[in-house]
Amino acid sequence: MKKVGVLISGRGSNLQALIDAAAAGSLGGTIAVVVSNVASAAGLERARRAGVPVEVCDHRGRPREEHDAAVVERLGAHEVDLVCLAGYMRLLSPVFLRAFPDRVLNVHPSLLPAFPGKDAPRQAWEHGVKVSGATVHVVDEGLDAGPIVAQEAVPVLEEDGPDELAARILEAEHRIYPRAVRILLAGRFRREGRRLHLHG
Ligand code: GRF
């Protein structure tokens, strides 16, 4: 059984979607550990409730590389095959990415490459786009920049404010993230430059 490690900093609703998929047998693997850089992250409680081991690695007062090495060490101790960022509010250093080459995924609340960075649903709403959505991508050294695994479009409705839009995008995130993890774990893809060809 392949093993997934999930990194969080907060609420953990995407973590919950991954936990639910694993419980339903549709993730293609198990969640071996959840690591948070914030001790009070609500997502830690979701993990505990599901019986998933949790680790807290506080990043404060440490150089980025040192923090990343500590997280990599924790993930390695749980023999993780794939790392999922789920609301993890830290950029990853090369130390991290070298440990899991092409094996780190992130979910982002926009149709990348539009609106990378913080508050993407608000950015999209303020820009006045008519369609936004959610993206799962492989993490590289850029900000929300790596090869795209899955996307789902979400229409911007006339009555939407940024919060309503964000809430509907979040539902799309919860649909595409488990699916993307399943594809990666099964190795059902071929990479050509930054294009991922998916099969099955
Ligand atoms: C999600 O919108 C995700 O796309 C972004 O951070 C948010 C995390 O939400 N990277 P949650 O902690 O999974 O509920």
Side-chain angles (χ1 to χ4, degrees):
M1 203 55 154
K2 296 272 180 155
K3 292 182 179 170
V4 177
V6 185
L7 305 193
I8 63 168
S9 300
R11 171 178 68 177
S13 72
N14 278 287
L15 164 65
Q16 189 69 54
L18 297 174
I19 288 173
D20 293 346
S26 60
L27 194 67
T30 60
I31 300 179
V33 63
V34 171
V35 183
S36 175
N37 64 318
V38 178
S40 61
L44 287 172
E45 199 38 49
R46 298 178 190 266
R48 289 193 191 102
R49 226 181 298 133
V52 175
V54 302
E55 306 267 4
V56 175
C57 285
D58 195 332
H59 64 280
R60 287 173 300 181
R62 280 174 137 181
R64 187 179 299 279
E65 286 71 19
E66 196 180 308
H67 170 70
D68 278 5
V71 175
V72 165
E73 196 274 321
R74 294 292 78 212
L75 294 167
H78 291 272
E79 299 177 329
V80 158
D81 299 294
L82 180 74
V83 180
C84 291
L85 310 186
Y88 185 62
M89 303 305 283
R90 308 277 306 157
L91 278 176
L92 301 187
S93 67
V95 167
F96 198 113
L97 295 172
R98 272 199 300 271
F100 292 97
D102 280 351
R103 286 292 176 275
V104 184
L105 291 180
N106 182 41
V107 64
H108 181 78
S110 75
L111 288 180
L112 290 171
F115 311 118
K118 285 216 165 117
D119 275 340
R122 176 175 290 277
Q123 289 184 51
W125 182 82
E126 283 176 354
H127 193 90
V129 297
K130 301 299 185 197
V131 179
S132 190
T135 303
V136 177
H137 64 94
V138 176
V139 175
D140 64 12
E141 279 163 41
L143 175 65
D144 301 322
I148 291 169
V149 184
Q151 292 188 303
E152 183 176 319
V154 174
V156 183
L157 305 180
E158 209 47 58
E159 60 272 24
D160 275 351
D163 294 344
E164 288 75 21
L165 177 60
R168 284 208 321 291
I169 290 175
L170 192 62
E171 291 172 13
E173 295 179 41
H174 299 163
R175 282 190 289 273
I176 64 173
Y177 210 0
R179 212 185 305 146
V181 169
R182 191 165 64 238
I183 290 169
L184 265 279
L185 286 180
R188 291 199 308 267
F189 66 97
R190 183 169 51 80
R191 184 169 174 176
E192 207 179 288
R194 60 162 294 123
R195 294 171 52 82
L196 287 186
H197 300 276
L198 310 180
H199 23 94

